[in-house]
Amino acid sequence: MAGSNLSVSRVYIDVIDDVIAKVRDEFINYGAGEAVLSELQSLWEMKMMHIGAITANIDRSSAASRHPPSAHLNPLHDLNVPYQGPTEEYETPTAEMLFPPTPLQTPIHTPLPGIDPPMYNIPTGPSDYAPSPLSDVRNGVVDIKASRPNPYMQPPSPWMPTRPLGVDVNVAYVEGREDANREPPHHPATQDFFTSSTGKRKRDEYPSRLPPGTYMPQQDGSSDVIIEFEMGNSSSQVDQQGNESSSIPQLDGIDDEYDNLFQYPSVPAEDYNNVVQTPAEHELRAPTPAAVGTPRQTNNVSGDDEEPPLNEDDDDDDDLDDLEQGEEEPTTQHLVLAQFDKVTRTKNRWKCTLKDGIMHLNNRDILFNKAMGEFDF
Amino acid sequence: MATFELYRRSTIGMCLTETLDEMVSNGTLSPELAIQVLVQFDKSMTEALENQVKSKVTIKGHLHTYRFCDNVWTFILKDATFKNDEIQEAVNRVKIVACDSKLLSQ
């Protein structure tokens, strides 16, 4: 065999094609459209290529033949061939936006100078995006499925390194966006939302509680406002945060000297004592305090006036082992994901049979159908 | 139908998750659709591994940690070697996460 990399690539490409084909109907029913689907596919493939998980010169025609339901999936010509130019559809700038000749950078959104950004949505304006410029551009050609995936599969060769993804996609994305900043720079808040893990988001289910297009201002930390206490006059929470009628002078909260050290320009004065009605734009918070008995915020503001930090994030990694991630970079952790058929143990000898697994070892991916393991404890 | 979300932690799964994250955060895609894509990915990946992959691997190593919780085995091996017909890999530390295969075929 020519090398397992090629076969792994092929399997991955098959999976991508299969997924895209099967969600196509959902996309159409949902009104998202073919364009969004194509964008999803190309972004996904681009990331895979960037990381080196798939190689570019995979012949996709056999993949197409393997999936008859998606017969309209046009077999692509060789990916290494440079982009032939728009046939009937997607405007060239769009393709160029996706694969700028100045590459080695993950974010495809980095626009070339001189390219009209509204053609490809620099994804900064969530509310504007959905109805328009992109969909307007592409709506006219949505029907044409011929060579749909093509424009996106034409990476110019200088862009094709197989170096590992050494850059944080999201960070670079931010940088690229700021260059072509057409929107008020409120996005860092949103950006933070999904890069800095709120809890254990990185591996958990897909939370995204944020309706698209919502501007999410910072409401914790220094921008903390409210919490309306509907119940009783003096809950213990209120007392901790300083009750005006208490005889103990408040030294924290608004009365501490912290504000004198740092001047936040646009922050409303913190005042935990006055109950302020916030417009409930932020769904995460608004209904909870009144409804639930313990109006504690999800963020770490409450209760850490006097108490030691909770150190909630100390065990963010799944393992509680001491001697681990300190030595190795977390990104190259060797990992095997599989299903087990049987796991047995005799004294200290463990045996297991696994199946259908993906292994990521020494920076490469290996797939297996069956595995036998023998371990000594 | 329930799916194993385990494969979302693989390279391909993480790329997909990142892509979906970006698209949802800039409003291109709705979260519901994104979830459906992920579920479909789970199914497609499981199916592909079953049908398209034929290789067999042996694993040997020292078991440092084992855990069985919620029908998921997690092993941490030290100084492990992975062999199959073509390749052989040695790693000093590897985590193996395995879900119960019987759960899918119910």
Side-chain angles (χ1 to χ4, degrees):
Chain A
M1 186 174 288
S4 52
N5 264 347
L6 204 57
S7 55
V8 170
S9 279
R10 181 180 301 277
V11 174
Y12 283 167
I13 295 211
D14 279 351
V15 169
I16 294 177
D17 288 344
D18 190 42
V19 171
I20 298 291
K22 297 209 168 128
V23 298
R24 174 167 288 119
D25 285 341
E26 300 285 345
F27 270 61
I28 292 176
N29 289 343
Y30 213 87
E34 191 70 39
V36 181
L37 188 62
S38 307
E39 187 185 335
L40 169 65
Q41 180 171 11
S42 38
L43 264 180
W44 189 7
E45 285 172 348
M46 203 187 67
K47 284 190 201 281
M48 297 282 290
M49 278 195 257
H50 197 100
I51 241 183
I54 63 181
T55 58
N57 53 355
I58 285 285
D59 176 15
R60 302 176 77 121
S61 55
S62 54
S65 63
R66 265 201 280 269
H67 298 284
S70 58
H72 52 268
L73 178 66
N74 191 30
L76 297 177
H77 47 270
D78 186 7
L79 296 172
N80 275 339
V81 174
Y83 182 54
Q84 303 289 354
T87 48
E88 297 127 338
E89 34 170 323
Y90 298 108
E91 275 78 11
T92 313
T94 306
E96 283 178 13
M97 299 293 291
L98 287 179
F99 298 101
T102 52
L104 297 198
Q105 197 159 26
T106 319
I108 63 176
H109 311 96
T110 308
L112 293 180
I115 300 280
D116 193 4
M119 292 301 294
Y120 180 81
N121 147 68
I122 305 295
T124 51
S127 52
D128 297 335
Y129 181 68
S132 85
L134 186 61
S135 45
D136 286 348
V137 161
R138 297 192 191 185
N139 264 345
V141 294
V142 146
D143 300 331
I144 301 175
K145 297 203 165 99
S147 63
R148 170 190 46 80
N150 284 359
Y152 301 96
M153 296 332 304
Q154 314 300 330
S157 35
W159 187 82
M160 278 302 301
T162 48
R163 72 185 178 90
L165 186 68
V167 79
D168 180 18
V169 174
N170 297 321
V171 169
Y173 172 82
V174 172
E175 293 171 43
R177 203 170 17 78
E178 284 174 3
D179 288 342
N181 198 6
R182 297 199 157 232
E183 301 290 335
H186 57 257
H187 246 263
T190 308
Q191 205 69 12
D192 285 344
F193 179 69
F194 68 87
T195 49
S196 74
S197 48
T198 51
K200 294 150 174 54
R201 189 183 183 280
K202 39 184 182 278
R203 293 223 172 128
D204 285 350
E205 67 217 329
Y206 200 86
S208 238
R209 291 161 283 189
L210 205 57
T214 305
Y215 161 48
M216 186 168 69
Q218 177 184 9
Q219 293 198 357
D220 60 349
S222 59
S223 306
D224 207 328
V225 193
I226 23 83
I227 294 203
E228 180 179 5
F229 296 110
E230 296 283 21
M231 30 182 238
N233 301 352
S234 51
S235 66
S236 57
Q237 282 288 336
V238 177
D239 281 338
Q240 280 181 14
Q241 307 210 355
N243 194 341
E244 258 184 343
S245 60
S246 152
S247 58
I248 302 172
Q250 179 180 8
L251 294 176
D252 60 353
I254 60 171
D255 293 325
D256 68 3
E257 286 136 4
Y258 195 71
D259 281 345
N260 298 334
L261 304 176
F262 302 98
Q263 297 300 327
Y264 298 104
S266 59
V267 165
E270 301 174 274
D271 190 351
Y272 292 93
N273 299 323
N274 297 336
V275 173
V276 174
Q277 197 78 22
T278 340
E281 35 181 312
H282 193 14
E283 288 175 15
L284 270 179
R285 309 265 227 87
T288 325
V292 181
T294 48
R296 173 170 300 139
Q297 305 155 242
T298 50
N299 298 314
N300 59 352
V301 175
S302 65
D304 53 356
D305 293 322
E306 295 127 0
E307 297 164 12
L310 294 176
N311 296 328
E312 292 158 339
D313 297 326
D314 277 359
D315 289 324
D316 246 348
D317 197 320
D318 277 340
D319 295 353
L320 301 180
D321 286 351
D322 302 328
L323 49 105
E324 35 109 1
Q325 302 294 47
E327 312 155 9
E328 301 159 49
E329 311 139 15
T331 50
T332 56
Q333 182 192 36
H334 311 291
L335 184 68
V336 174
L337 303 167
Q339 303 172 29
F340 68 86
D341 280 332
K342 186 179 349 180
V343 174
T344 59
R345 174 192 71 87
T346 306
K347 298 214 177 176
N348 74 329
R349 194 144 175 84
W350 289 71
K351 294 197 177 156
C352 63
T353 48
L354 307 177
K355 63 182 240 195
D356 299 343
I358 304 181
M359 306 195 287
H360 183 75
L361 308 169
N362 294 326
N363 249 328
R364 64 189 272 205
D365 278 6
I366 304 164
L367 311 178
F368 65 81
N369 183 239
K370 277 201 141 348
M372 299 282 310
E374 295 181 8
F375 322 131
D376 301 305
F377 182 63
Chain B
M1 169 190 158
T3 57
F4 281 152
E5 301 187 4
L6 136 109
Y7 298 118
R8 298 185 195 180
R9 295 161 69 170
S10 63
T11 320
I12 180 174
M14 295 301 295
C15 288
L16 176 61
T17 308
E18 284 172 16
T19 305
L20 291 174
D21 265 351
E22 284 173 20
M23 290 178 73
V24 170
S25 71
N26 68 39
T28 322
L29 194 61
S30 71
E32 296 84 9
L33 259 188
I35 293 181
Q36 295 199 3
V37 175
L38 281 171
V39 169
Q40 182 57 52
F41 167 76
D42 293 337
K43 295 182 194 166
S44 298
M45 191 75 231
T46 305
E47 205 180 295
L49 284 174
E50 246 177 71
N51 301 330
Q52 293 188 35
V53 180
K54 290 292 171 246
S55 82
K56 192 162 172 344
V57 168
T58 56
I59 314 172
K60 288 205 193 330
H62 165 70
L63 183 63
H64 181 269
T65 308
Y66 60 87
R67 178 185 301 140
F68 183 61
C69 181
D70 292 335
N71 282 309
V72 177
W73 274 105
T74 305
F75 301 112
I76 297 185
L77 304 190
K78 292 282 182 188
D79 301 323
T81 50
F82 294 76
K83 285 189 200 167
N84 75 7
D85 291 338
E86 306 152 5
I87 55 100
Q88 180 169 340
E89 300 278 350
V91 294
N92 61 348
R93 182 184 182 272
V94 60
K95 181 195 281 195
I96 301 180
V97 180
C99 296
D100 194 347
S101 60
K102 296 184 213 44
L103 291 181
L104 267 192
S105 54
Q106 280 169 358

